Amino acid sequence: MTHAQIRLQQDFQPTPSTLEPTERLLHLITGAWASQIVYAAAKLNLADELASRPGTAGEIAAAIGTAERPLYRLLRAMSGLGLTEEDSQGRFALTSTGQLLRSDMPNSLHGFAALNGEDWHWRNWGAIVDCVKNGGPVFDRLFGTPVFAYLGQHPEAGAAFDAAMTSITGGWNPAVLAALEFPETATVVDIGGGAGVLLSAILEANPHLRGILVDLPEVTERAHANPRFAAAIKTGRCSVVGGSFFDAIPVKGDIHIMKFIIHDWGDEEASTILTNSRNALEAGDRLILVEQLIEPGKPAQLATMTDIEMLLFVSGGERTEQEFAQLLRRNRFELTKVVPTAAPVFIIEARAI
């Protein structure tokens, strides 16, 4: 059985398949409305407010400083989306799905929900027709600068992006860790590892490993603010080095890992990143990529939706297993295995040749 035939435990269903065609299409057309309702709930921190007890619209409005009637209508719409439930006394409580909008939940999606409704993010989806006609990314045309430069220039947007990435991918880390295998001793270099969320989790699960986080200096500052990563630094098992993956990797390690890095870049930029990684490894050393995969013949995929996000914002996109194999081979790596996880991501392992 080929990898593309392996079915993920979590299939992406943008709308229930049991709906009749007209209702199904209407569900898809109004999907943007649902996204904005979820965004409003996240920005108003409604799930946090409802975490301890049910409340009426009046009670919640008084607590968070909003108008009662509009808030009631928002909460009612949230019930229609399965996020809240209203009882006979007009009190709203969170459902199990709504609980995931709490900012303090281990698998919280609060940050991701808040990002998707921000104006600087939403405007790009409004330009999707222009993108399809003229090519992407449209972000550069709308804002006059690439998205990562914009995030560096706008701290509030950068913080929202970081929170979203931690939100959407942090909950997948247990599945990623379960699929990773490490030798008895090794130094793992997390390239572009951000705030060190994945690397700190790897070190906690594998006390025999050492780790090095490599990212831009302004990014690695945030890693020191991550309590779990700071704890790893104090033990002497981990260090932080400022650097760009577009330059020579300034440290030596046995295993390189990159999570959601390559998909941001087109083949030319991705080749630069992979070449820099290869030059810092010895023949036979391992490269681990954590990425989504496009699975040909499988229509319901989160990856195909994420691919459109990539089209709008960056030069990259989601790839198939074959495309990864070709890209790796061009940059002196041999694809050795692809491992599905319980989350909608894959472990792509390669050997330096």
Side-chain angles (χ1 to χ4, degrees), residues 2 92 199:
T2 66
F92 289 89
L199 185 56

Tab-separated table of all heavy atoms in Angstrom, residues 2 92 199:
chain	number	residue	atom	x	y	z
A	2	THR	N	0.627	2.185	-0.919
A	2	THR	CA	1.409	3.406	-0.978
A	2	THR	C	0.977	4.348	0.126
A	2	THR	O	-0.115	4.233	0.691
A	2	THR	CB	1.208	4.112	-2.331
A	2	THR	OG1	-0.146	4.564	-2.411
A	2	THR	CG2	1.511	3.187	-3.487
A	92	PHE	N	-26.407	30.508	28.451
A	92	PHE	CA	-25.570	29.845	27.454
A	92	PHE	C	-24.424	29.112	28.144
A	92	PHE	O	-23.830	29.616	29.106
A	92	PHE	CB	-25.008	30.856	26.466
A	92	PHE	CG	-26.034	31.422	25.521
A	92	PHE	CD1	-26.759	32.560	25.866
A	92	PHE	CD2	-26.301	30.808	24.302
A	92	PHE	CE1	-27.709	33.093	25.010
A	92	PHE	CE2	-27.251	31.327	23.439
A	92	PHE	CZ	-27.960	32.471	23.794
A	199	LEU	N	10.615	21.778	20.017
A	199	LEU	CA	11.886	21.285	20.537
A	199	LEU	C	11.806	21.012	22.033
A	199	LEU	O	12.331	19.997	22.513
A	199	LEU	CB	13.004	22.281	20.238
A	199	LEU	CG	14.413	21.841	20.633
A	199	LEU	CD1	14.779	20.512	19.985
A	199	LEU	CD2	15.435	22.912	20.269
